[in-house]
Amino acid sequence: MKKTLITLLLIIPLVLFSSVTSNFSAANGISEATIHPSLTPNKLLNVAHRGASAYAPEHTIASYKLGEEMKGDYIEVDLQMTEDGVLVAMHDLTVNRTTNGSGYVKDFTLKELKQLDAGSWFNEQHPEYANPSYAGIKVPTLEEVIQTFGKGSRYYIETKSPNTYPGMEKELIRILNKYKLIGPNTPSSKVILQSFSPESLQIIHDLDNRIPLVQLISYRTKATITDEELHAYKEYAIGLGMSHHRIDQAYVQKVRDAGLLIHPYTVNEKADMAKLLDWGVTGMFTNHPDRLQEVLESRED
């Protein structure tokens, strides 16, 4: 009898937890396969934008390492593809801004791209954060990023200009599978994929519908969104991302009421971070993950 009672006491909390999770899923229109603690509003995401890019050359191993040291929850990687089909971490279509080279990424082989200096520009433009070790730093491939940080880290990856790179999504999924960052035995929060291209996200969704997707939206004026648009996004995405300058509290609440997460970009001032958290965002991108961490910690007191 005593053994039976102990067993019941152990089972009841698990049943209650399962019920709560199911109710959350139903209320927010998100499948149970997608739900994970770090993808719910209970966990406000601090996404290190291009790494801790205020303090180190963006999209380099150094920047990503610093982002983790500053308590960023995710390493954000923008993807371009070389002439020989290798996915590399770079924001722009060209190498002009962040290396000492010029031209389109798609016209470089990986070997050619690796000859470029991806760090000296930062030292020149940001002398207050200059570091001699940044000079000569290389553009990393997606695989090199994953090999460096492993399964212990989380990755927020964007397919940039996918129309320029046919097959980008298939190669991305191949790499994520290779390193076991996605799959039935992997937490759904390990990788989040985002894009401004609904077509790119739909390709990914068709390749593996278990991967959490975030639809990026570009607004030229004040952000507005219809119920029809929200319904369409929910067919494949768990959340939305947009410039924090374009949104207001009503917009945030409408997205949240629809059961979608919302991760605005790029938020660098503490006052803006606090305001967005008050409005109900579920995370944000920042070049200063240390600042956001301080804001989040101050709200826990």
Side-chain angles (χ1 to χ4, degrees):
M1 181 65 182
K2 183 178 180 181
K3 189 173 182 180
T4 302
L5 180 59
I6 291 173
T7 301
L8 286 171
L9 289 173
L10 290 173
I11 291 175
I12 288 171
L14 293 175
V15 173
L16 290 174
F17 176 78
S18 176
S19 176
V20 169
T21 303
S22 298
N23 289 340
F24 178 89
S25 305
N28 290 280
I30 304 172
S31 68
E32 284 188 40
T34 302
I35 292 298
H36 185 276
S38 59
L39 287 183
T40 72
N42 297 324
K43 171 65 175 175
L44 299 169
L45 299 187
N46 180 348
V47 185
H49 183 240
R50 310 180 194 177
S53 54
Y55 309 105
E58 65 180 64
H59 289 316
T60 62
I61 298 299
S63 184
Y64 297 145
K65 284 182 176 178
L66 197 54
E68 289 211 325
E69 290 172 15
M70 293 180 172
K71 307 299 183 182
D73 294 307
Y74 280 80
I75 296 170
E76 193 240 348
V77 186
D78 291 322
L79 293 181
Q80 305 286 346
M81 184 178 269
T82 64
E83 184 181 38
D84 44 349
V86 180
L87 293 177
V88 295
M90 185 170 288
H91 179 271
D92 300 356
L93 277 167
T94 72
V95 302
N96 301 18
R97 182 176 61 85
T98 56
T99 77
N100 62 336
S102 63
Y104 288 95
V105 178
K106 67 181 180 64
D107 295 330
F108 285 80
T109 64
L110 179 62
K111 183 178 179 180
E112 292 168 340
L113 195 68
K114 285 292 188 179
Q115 295 173 10
L116 301 180
D117 178 342
S120 291
W121 69 272
F122 181 88
N123 287 345
E124 294 166 5
Q125 292 187 21
H126 305 280
E128 68 275 28
Y129 299 120
N131 186 322
S133 68
Y134 296 160
I137 204 167
K138 302 303 180 185
V139 175
T141 67
L142 175 61
E143 288 204 65
E144 286 170 343
V145 175
I146 295 172
Q147 289 165 358
T148 300
F149 296 95
K151 290 186 70 175
S153 295
R154 292 186 171 91
Y155 304 89
Y156 209 130
I157 302 173
E158 179 179 349
T159 56
K160 301 291 291 186
S161 307
N163 291 340
T164 303
Y165 308 111
M168 167 183 268
E169 296 85 1
K170 187 174 181 180
E171 175 63 6
L172 172 57
I173 298 303
R174 183 192 71 79
I175 291 172
L176 295 178
N177 274 313
K178 176 181 176 179
Y179 292 95
K180 296 180 171 57
L181 290 171
I182 57 176
N185 298 317
T186 304
S188 62
S189 65
K190 184 61 65 174
V191 173
I192 302 174
L193 302 184
Q194 64 174 349
S195 184
F196 282 100
S197 168
E199 294 79 14
S200 183
L201 291 182
Q202 192 60 58
I203 290 172
I204 293 169
H205 187 68
D206 291 342
L207 289 169
D208 190 332
N209 62 13
R210 297 167 298 191
I211 302 173
L213 305 177
V214 169
Q215 178 66 61
L216 293 170
I217 308 172
S218 178
Y219 292 105
R220 294 184 180 274
T221 58
K222 181 180 178 180
T224 60
I225 197 162
T226 66
D227 292 336
E228 291 73 20
E229 288 171 326
L230 288 167
H231 179 75
Y233 292 139
K234 285 180 65 176
E235 291 295 316
Y236 60 89
I238 64 158
L240 306 178
M242 70 295 297
S243 171
H244 77 98
H245 294 294
R246 302 299 188 191
I247 60 177
D248 58 19
Q249 185 169 11
Y251 181 97
V252 173
Q253 286 305 308
K254 186 168 186 178
V255 172
R256 293 296 304 119
D257 289 345
L260 288 164
L261 304 180
I262 181 167
H263 300 156
Y265 60 83
T266 303
V267 193
N268 292 321
E269 300 303 326
K270 285 187 174 183
D272 291 326
M273 294 171 181
K275 177 179 67 176
L276 288 164
L277 292 170
D278 288 340
W279 287 355
V281 303
T282 52
M284 64 191 80
F285 292 78
T286 179
N287 299 338
H288 298 266
D290 54 338
R291 291 183 186 174
L292 180 51
Q293 180 64 19
E294 289 171 4
V295 171
L296 291 170
E297 288 177 355
S298 70
R299 298 168 77 90
E300 294 174 358
D301 297 338

